[in-house]
Amino acid sequence: MEYLRIPGTDLEVSRIALGTWAMGGWMWGGTDEQQAIATIHAALDKGVNLIDTAPVYGFGVSEQIVGKALAQKKCRDRVFISTKTGLDWKDGQVFRNCSPDFIKRNFADSLKNLQTDHVDLLFVHWPDPLEPFEETARVLHQFLKAGQIRAVGVSNYSPEQIQAFQRGGPVHVVQPPYNLFEREIEADLMPFSKKNHLALMTYGALCRGLLSGQVTAAREYQGDDLRKIDPKFKEPRLSEYLAAVKLLDQFAWQRFDRRVLHLGVRWVLDHGAEIALWGGRRPDQMEPLPEIFGWRLDQPALHAIDQILQETIKEPVGPEFMAPPARAD
Ligand SMILES: NC(=O)c1ccc[n+]([C@@H]2O[C@H](COP(=O)([O-])OP(=O)(O)OC[C@H]3O[C@@H](n4cnc5c(N)ncnc54)[C@H](OP(=O)(O)O)[C@@H]3O)[C@@H](O)[C@H]2O)c1
């Protein structure tokens, strides 16, 4: 495992963080608590010390699972928890809400769910266009000053939105999507983060499983699984993405004795992100973790990967389908 310190904080975190959205069940076709807890323990045993969750993941379920997993292993003091605020829900419908009252209630619920008196990293999940960003920053800054959080993050914010937020308080980490198939941040957020010493903790390293090498055109998704509405998982695009995965897998094997999953996560780490979020919900999914380390992608490899992507994906599409709506007035 590789570790780094988040600038402006005393958090020394693993460069792979475990994502627990799928463990909450919501938008992933259901949850299995025992498997989820075993997955968290498997990741910790392999050197991961940063776990990412959110109140909206299963409407409290993911946070509760993280709280139970750490309590069972008695390791809260050795693990960094990252959670979020600013997404509200009613009758199963999720919407943005950064009103100070909601944030305070939502964060109090997170502490209870997680069985802790502080979280290490608190993100605003999505920018709320109906609340001044500066005001939201002030609320999180209060939590920071009170020792209830140790670092502030924003997720899915543009550079301009981050600058507005910074007028009300500090930001240490940003959490945008980033993987071989979703590279939008290279145009603006990535250079902005480098220039301003903000750590990039990017989500979706496996592009919702597409880069695991295990997805086939025949795979079916259960219940409310978001891949039913993900444009990358629908034809004609699915065939293009699967063709890319096949060539990337061959390249990883020939050049590095690794598979496409290792290549996909390594690429995120070697291409500008400080921390890559990897989501899982079964302990066996953590088995490839050690093989992400001990090698690097050099310039010729990065170039060859770009060529594969250019040749195979003619109609790229981003992760915009996941954006939740603003509050109805
Ligand atoms: N801030 C935000 O707005 C935001 C948005 C999205 C995600 N996130 C965070 O980032 C985390 C990661 O993102 P993500 O979960 O969307 O995507 P991801 O890491 O790209 O993909 C996760 C999915 O890939 C599959 N997978 C994982 N390991 C595997 C393995 N070894 N072999 C085969 N398949 C494997 C699993 O799906 P199956 O179990 O179905 O096979 C898993 O649920 C989330 O859990 C969450 O913490 C944040």
Side-chain angles (χ1 to χ4, degrees):
M1 182 58 67
E2 294 165 14
Y3 298 87
L4 57 74
R5 196 177 55 79
I6 296 177
T9 76
D10 56 0
L11 307 182
E12 185 99 18
V13 300
S14 51
R15 291 195 67 203
I16 289 184
L18 175 64
T20 64
W21 180 12
M23 292 180 194
W26 169 70
M27 290 188 83
W28 288 86
T31 178
D32 179 329
E33 183 175 301
Q34 288 315 313
Q35 289 275 63
I37 289 175
T39 308
I40 294 171
H41 292 170
L44 297 176
D45 290 344
K46 289 181 165 47
V48 169
N49 71 3
L50 177 59
I51 300 182
D52 182 73
T53 180
V56 77
Y57 297 163
F59 311 115
V61 171
S62 168
E63 287 188 330
Q64 287 158 11
I65 285 173
V66 173
K68 281 183 194 170
L70 301 192
Q72 279 180 20
K73 217 173 160 61
K74 298 190 174 44
C75 61
R76 171 67 188 97
D77 57 340
R78 285 176 280 124
V79 176
F80 300 109
I81 299 175
S82 147
T83 193
K84 311 189 187 80
T85 186
L87 284 186
D88 199 354
W89 58 88
K90 194 172 180 198
D91 304 327
Q93 297 300 309
V94 171
F95 52 94
R96 307 179 195 203
N97 186 354
C98 284
S99 68
D101 278 357
F102 174 72
I103 288 184
K104 286 174 195 162
R105 265 189 289 125
N106 194 225
F107 180 59
D109 289 344
S110 289
L111 293 178
K112 266 190 229 138
N113 287 335
L114 290 161
Q115 307 184 31
T116 188
D117 60 358
H118 75 282
V119 303
D120 301 284
L121 189 40
L122 182 65
F123 284 93
V124 182
H125 209 147
W126 281 84
D128 178 353
L130 301 181
E131 296 289 335
F133 300 146
E134 209 174 314
E135 285 303 315
T136 309
R138 285 199 185 100
V139 180
L140 268 70
H141 197 194
Q142 289 298 328
F143 294 156
L144 186 72
K145 286 190 285 192
Q148 291 177 295
I149 64 175
R150 296 169 71 189
V152 174
V154 289
S155 183
N156 303 301
Y157 275 57
S158 68
E160 295 70 31
Q161 290 169 328
I162 296 173
Q163 280 171 326
F165 187 98
Q166 284 173 317
R167 288 196 273 277
V171 177
H172 304 99
V173 190
V174 294
Q175 188 177 138
Y178 193 52
N179 59 59
L180 274 165
F181 296 149
E182 295 170 337
R183 299 174 57 168
E184 290 77 3
I185 64 168
E186 287 173 11
D188 51 7
L189 186 63
M190 187 174 269
F192 175 84
S193 304
K194 300 284 159 219
K195 194 168 161 223
N196 292 283
H197 310 291
L198 305 176
L200 268 170
M201 174 171 164
T202 60
Y203 68 77
L206 299 181
C207 200
R208 299 169 290 290
L210 206 46
L211 284 160
S212 70
Q214 305 295 316
V215 170
T216 62
R219 182 167 169 186
E220 288 182 5
Y221 298 93
Q222 305 305 315
D224 65 349
D225 197 306
L226 78 165
R227 290 165 291 190
K228 285 182 173 173
I229 54 160
D230 187 331
K232 285 196 188 62
F233 286 71
K234 285 191 207 306
E235 294 299 353
R237 289 194 178 99
L238 179 61
S239 294
E240 289 188 359
Y241 283 103
L242 290 180
V245 168
K246 191 172 169 197
L247 290 178
L248 291 167
D249 191 48
Q250 283 168 2
F251 176 74
W253 188 244
Q254 284 160 6
R255 203 36 235 284
F256 298 106
D257 210 11
R258 297 291 199 283
R259 308 305 323 204
V260 61
L261 181 148
H262 307 111
L263 186 84
V265 181
R266 192 67 246 174
W267 182 89
V268 172
L269 296 175
D270 290 346
H271 216 261
E274 272 72 33
I275 304 158
L277 266 161
W278 172 347
R281 50 177 156 182
R282 294 198 321 268
D284 62 279
Q285 291 176 332
M286 297 297 111
E287 273 165 26
L289 248 166
E291 293 208 74
I292 306 297
F293 302 101
W295 60 294
R296 291 183 73 86
L297 290 166
D298 51 21
Q299 278 307 323
L302 294 173
H303 183 67
I305 290 169
D306 282 348
Q307 273 196 318
I308 291 174
L309 297 173
Q310 269 165 27
E311 281 161 19
T312 48
I313 300 163
K314 301 295 172 201
E315 269 197 275
V317 59
E320 304 79 26
F321 77 100
M322 290 198 285
R327 232 174 326 157
D329 273 331

